[in-house]
Amino acid sequence: VKVKLVHAASDTPQSLTLSVLDTSTMLEIRREVMQRLGESSLSKCKLVRRLATGGFQGLADDERLNKKRELLFLGRDLPEQEVKTTVASEPETKAASPPKKAEAPAKAASPPKRAEAKPKDEPQKSSLAKGTQKAESAVPRELQVKITHLLEADQEMHLGVSSDFLVRELKELIVAELGHGRPSAIMLSSNGDNVLHDHLPLNSYAREIEGGLLITGIELQPREKTA
């Protein structure tokens, strides 16, 4: 089947048409796009859905294409002219996965436990608990972001975005919602000084986002459409 990827935040129409199996996963499609565009970072090839709140949320990597024939894309530019390609077959995808390393030798090398070592169990449990908390915090969730203009306090907007989105992608969403401006001209901060870095995910700025963000470099007023 043919599926069309459409850039969700580009100023000019950008798309890419792929010939794929309807059983292909979102991860397989992302990897194929990454290979065809010569992109080295998988995080710059995101497949998303539009939320009712106006933002976007990433599609799960294990989600199947099934009957979908058009997908929204974010992360980097797509060709302005469509390029047709074919996703690699599933056996090749499976073969590309790295083999699991055996851990048995490491276990054999560990010294026997002593009775006096029992008091150390609690620190180990504490480390495991911390690891569990980190794993839970890594699960993407929807963030409600309030953005206020640094110089015009009456200008503000609210967006719902996935916590695994990069700051750069949030800027692209802002431009897409307003219909004007350039993501590269936007500066986001928590207090006007602490600037959010484009390459970091939003979940690393959870505290700043909870208190609301300040923006410069763009007017938070949609461009009026001319007849």
Side-chain angles (χ1 to χ4, degrees), residues 64-132:
R64 299 282 178 180
L65 178 63
N66 296 331
K67 295 183 179 181
K68 303 182 194 70
R69 296 299 178 263
E70 184 170 301
L71 300 171
L72 293 178
F73 179 91
L74 278 177
R76 58 152 292 159
D77 290 340
L78 289 176
E80 293 192 7
Q81 294 182 348
E82 295 187 355
V83 178
K84 296 183 180 180
T85 185
T86 304
V87 169
S89 60
E90 290 186 3
E92 292 177 351
T93 303
K94 294 179 181 178
S97 59
K100 295 183 179 179
K101 295 182 180 179
E103 297 181 357
K107 293 182 179 178
S110 60
K113 294 182 179 179
R114 297 181 180 180
E116 295 79 7
K118 287 185 178 180
K120 294 183 180 180
D121 288 344
E122 288 193 7
Q124 291 176 356
K125 290 180 180 179
S126 177
S127 298
L128 289 173
K130 290 180 180 179
T132 303

Side-chain angles (χ1 to χ4, degrees), residues 54-65:
F56 296 91
Q57 183 179 39
L59 298 178
D61 282 342
D62 60 354
E63 183 176 339
R64 299 282 178 180
L65 178 63

Side-chain angles (χ1 to χ4, degrees), residues 17-225:
T17 299
L18 305 176
S19 295
V20 299
L21 298 173
D22 58 2
T23 55
S24 298
T25 64
M26 297 300 112
L27 179 59
E28 290 171 338
I29 295 175
R30 291 174 65 197
R31 284 176 174 168
E32 180 65 16
V33 174
M34 182 176 71
Q35 179 181 354
R36 294 297 173 173
L37 296 179
E39 177 57 58
S40 59
S41 175
L42 183 62
S43 65
K44 291 184 179 180
C45 298
K46 288 183 180 291
L47 298 175
V48 301
R49 64 168 57 91
R50 187 180 294 274
L51 298 172
T53 53
F56 296 91
Q57 183 179 39
L59 298 178
D61 282 342
D62 60 354
E63 183 176 339
R64 299 282 178 180
L65 178 63
N66 296 331
K67 295 183 179 181
K68 303 182 194 70
R69 296 299 178 263
E70 184 170 301
L71 300 171
L72 293 178
F73 179 91
L74 278 177
R76 58 152 292 159
D77 290 340
L78 289 176
E80 293 192 7
Q81 294 182 348
E82 295 187 355
V83 178
K84 296 183 180 180
T85 185
T86 304
V87 169
S89 60
E90 290 186 3
E92 292 177 351
T93 303
K94 294 179 181 178
S97 59
K100 295 183 179 179
K101 295 182 180 179
E103 297 181 357
K107 293 182 179 178
S110 60
K113 294 182 179 179
R114 297 181 180 180
E116 295 79 7
K118 287 185 178 180
K120 294 183 180 180
D121 288 344
E122 288 193 7
Q124 291 176 356
K125 290 180 180 179
S126 177
S127 298
L128 289 173
K130 290 180 180 179
T132 303
Q133 291 175 355
K134 289 182 179 179
E136 291 176 351
S137 64
V139 177
R141 57 191 178 87
E142 184 178 347
L143 296 175
Q144 294 298 325
V145 186
K146 177 184 177 182
I147 304 170
T148 306
H149 199 285
L150 179 63
L151 304 177
E152 302 290 342
D154 60 331
Q155 294 184 20
E156 67 176 43
M157 69 186 303
H158 298 261
L159 286 175
V161 295
S162 180
S163 62
D164 63 342
F165 272 32
L166 304 180
V167 173
R168 182 190 69 250
E169 293 170 327
L170 174 58
K171 293 180 180 180
E172 291 176 351
L173 297 185
I174 293 171
V175 170
E177 288 297 315
L178 296 174
H180 66 89
R182 292 181 298 110
S184 60
I186 295 175
M187 184 178 75
L188 292 169
S189 64
S190 58
N191 58 7
D193 293 324
N194 297 329
V195 178
L196 278 60
H197 299 287
D198 284 354
H199 65 282
L200 293 179
L202 296 180
N203 54 23
S204 41
Y205 291 110
R207 183 175 299 176
E208 289 84 348
I209 290 174
E210 185 176 345
L213 299 179
L214 297 176
I215 189 171
T216 57
I218 191 172
E219 294 293 321
L220 298 185
Q221 296 176 343
R223 176 178 293 172
E224 294 183 0
K225 296 182 180 180

